[in-house]
Amino acid sequence: MKAFVTGGSGFIGRYLVRALVARGYEVVGLARSEASAATLRADGAQVAQGDILDVPSLRAGMAGCDVVFHVAGWYKTGPADWRNAEPINVNGTRNVLRTAFDLDIPKIVYTSTVAVFGDTHGEMV
């Protein structure tokens, strides 16, 4: 089984990549930077250089995969620049899902972020 993983060098993604590799999956991780690529390689994944906002890089990395795990996302708490959230979390997710659909990849697992709730003013959601 061949899996494509976005966000594979992040907090959740690293555990996912390691678990998939341990189960015998061939894992391709999307990496925006050399540091992310090094993390993915250290965890046993192949690397596809690219970004969820760059559809050609998604197509190249996803080609031939059986499943896509979309774990990448923008997440900050506090007064960080929230304007990054929509392009990454909305448009990037749309790019991942459309590309997987266009490539006839039969399975997609999507992990969202607590940032969808916005500022909860300390309230539990």
Side-chain angles (χ1 to χ4, degrees):
M1 181 80 70
K2 186 173 181 181
F4 180 79
V5 179
T6 69
S9 64
F11 180 73
I12 295 171
R14 286 197 74 183
Y15 289 98
L16 173 62
V17 167
R18 292 174 190 159
L20 292 171
V21 168
R23 288 184 178 199
Y25 281 66
E26 179 182 350
V27 178
V28 178
L30 186 66
R32 289 185 302 149
S33 68
E34 189 48 47
S36 292
T39 297
L40 289 164
R41 285 187 197 100
D43 289 337
Q46 299 170 32
V47 174
Q49 286 294 146
D51 190 291
I52 62 174
L53 299 177
D54 177 33
V55 173
S57 69
L58 289 173
R59 290 185 69 82
M62 280 187 203
C65 288
D66 304 295
V67 60
V68 170
F69 290 88
H70 179 43
V71 186
W74 182 87
Y75 170 70
K76 298 284 186 219
T77 58
D81 187 357
W82 57 268
R83 290 171 290 189
N84 289 320
E86 185 173 349
I88 296 168
N89 293 343
V90 176
N91 298 337
T93 297
R94 185 178 291 125
N95 290 343
V96 171
L97 298 176
R98 282 188 178 154
T99 303
F101 179 81
D102 290 346
L103 293 174
D104 294 321
I105 297 174
K107 296 177 185 175
I108 302 166
V109 178
Y110 170 58
T111 303
S112 187
T113 173
V114 72
V116 300
F117 297 114
D119 184 356
T120 65
H121 304 286
E123 296 293 320
M124 182 68 81
V125 291

